[in-house]
């Protein structure tokens, strides 16, 4: 089974520039997550998609971050403009929710290799 | 505010030692607790715990959840240098939101 794919693996930009990251989840996984992991910290959820709809984006800094999953498969995360404090690893994860009563149920998350962003 | 706290923050042991990593949580609408191992790349899944008192085991690793104490432990016996990594604890709620701890950095010395 192919894993979660992310690109690029590394990116170095100057502050105020824009950057975009791409994620392709495991085939059939309806739920997709973007996390930000700053060095020395655990991953912080930025946004969660269920198919092409946003489930939770409460921690996404919407003045500069945006994400979309138009066809409910792959997703892009954009930062515009970038700040120094955005330097982090951006992790994408996917899971296949299942449950009763039509409600999604948590299942194991599979993580991609991450994109390491350095903002100078 | 929901949160997950791991201890210790870092640990250095010798090969063959047994270690116990701790995770405590305060998460509304708890659904599950997960342990991940993170080396240089992305976290890899170890265990998912949903029921109290049932031990999950995989080789030298085992984990158990205590819902009364709102905590979990991850045990690693007969540690090897390949066990050196950051061990992350995450708690999922019924809304499929996940909260991660800052991790425990384990270093196993030959």
């Amino acid at each position: 089974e192919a894993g979660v794919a992310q690109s690029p693996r590394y990116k170095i930009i100057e502050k105020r520039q824009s950057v975009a990251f791409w994620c392709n989840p495991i085939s059939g996984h309806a739920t997709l997550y973007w996390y930000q992991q700053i060095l020395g910290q655990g991953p912080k959820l930025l946004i969660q998609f269920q198919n092409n709809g946003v489930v939770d984006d409460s921690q996404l800094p919407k003045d500069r971050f945006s994400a979309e999953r138009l066809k409910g498969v792959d997703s892009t995360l954009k930062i515009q403009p970038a700040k120094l404090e955005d330097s982090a690893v951006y992790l994408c994860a996917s899971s296949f929710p299942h449950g009763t009563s039509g409600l999604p149920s948590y299942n194991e998350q599979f993580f991609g290799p991450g994109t390491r962003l350095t903002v100078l | 505010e929901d949160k997950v706290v791991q201890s210790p923050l870092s640990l250095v042991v010798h090969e063959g030692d047994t270690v116990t990593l701790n995770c405590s949580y305060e998460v509304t609408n708890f659904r599950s607790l997960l342990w991940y191992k993170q080396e240089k790349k992305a976290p890899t899944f170890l265990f998912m715990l949903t029921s109290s008192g049932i031990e999950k085991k995989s080789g030298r690793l085992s984990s158990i959840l205590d819902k009364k104490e709102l905590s979990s432990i991850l045990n690693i016996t007969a540690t090897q240098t390949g066990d050196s990594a950051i061990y992350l604890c995450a708690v999922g709620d019924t809304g499929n939101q996940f909260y991660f701890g800052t991790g425990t950095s384990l270093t196993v010395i030959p």
Side-chain angles (χ1 to χ4, degrees):
Chain A
E1 174 181 81
V4 176
Q6 287 189 248
S7 68
R9 294 294 308 278
Y10 304 91
K11 190 74 178 177
I12 300 173
I13 61 173
E14 294 188 348
K15 60 183 178 182
R16 291 189 288 274
Q17 285 188 321
S18 301
V19 65
F21 312 129
W22 175 82
C23 172
N24 192 22
I26 292 172
S27 178
H29 281 198
T31 309
L32 184 148
Y33 310 82
W34 281 103
Y35 290 91
Q36 179 193 59
Q37 187 173 23
I38 293 172
L39 188 65
Q41 299 181 17
K44 182 185 90 171
L45 180 70
L46 293 175
I47 189 167
Q48 177 183 339
F49 291 96
Q50 179 78 7
N51 296 307
N52 61 350
V54 175
V55 173
D56 188 317
D57 63 357
S58 55
Q59 297 193 82
L60 187 74
K62 297 181 186 63
D63 57 334
R64 298 184 301 107
F65 286 65
S66 64
E68 59 183 17
R69 194 185 184 199
L70 294 175
K71 295 182 180 178
V73 180
D74 54 351
S75 174
T76 55
L77 175 70
K78 295 180 182 176
I79 308 175
Q80 181 179 2
K83 292 186 175 181
L84 297 176
E85 58 262 36
D86 298 332
S87 294
V89 174
Y90 290 84
L91 295 165
C92 179
S94 71
S95 67
F96 181 69
H98 59 84
T100 58
S101 305
L103 295 174
S105 175
Y106 170 73
N107 203 351
E108 175 189 342
Q109 289 181 84
F110 295 84
F111 282 85
T115 296
R116 182 176 297 278
L117 173 68
T118 302
V119 182
L120 303 175
Chain B
E1 184 179 304
D2 294 325
K3 62 180 180 181
V4 176
V5 178
Q6 291 185 246
S7 63
L9 289 180
S10 65
L11 199 53
V12 180
V13 300
H14 288 95
E15 266 193 321
D17 288 351
T18 293
V19 297
T20 299
L21 310 182
N22 300 283
C23 176
S24 63
Y25 61 90
E26 292 178 27
V27 173
T28 308
N29 301 318
F30 172 92
R31 174 181 287 278
S32 59
L33 186 144
L34 300 93
W35 284 98
Y36 287 88
K37 178 181 182 182
Q38 186 172 29
E39 296 171 270
K40 290 184 179 178
K41 299 181 179 179
T44 54
F45 175 81
L46 295 174
F47 299 111
M48 182 171 79
L49 305 160
T50 55
S51 300
S52 219
I54 299 174
E55 184 183 56
K56 294 255 179 126
K57 201 169 169 62
S58 176
R60 297 176 294 102
L61 277 68
S62 64
S63 183
I64 196 162
L65 175 67
D66 186 339
K67 283 187 176 179
K68 205 172 180 182
E69 296 296 324
L70 305 182
S71 65
S72 173
I73 58 170
L74 174 69
N75 279 319
I76 308 175
T77 59
T79 52
Q80 302 171 358
T81 54
D83 296 327
S84 295
I86 295 173
Y87 290 84
L88 291 168
C89 173
V91 173
D93 66 15
T94 52
N96 280 355
Q97 170 73 278
F98 297 96
Y99 304 89
F100 279 81
T102 53
T104 293
S105 175
L106 174 65
T107 303
V108 181
I109 300 171

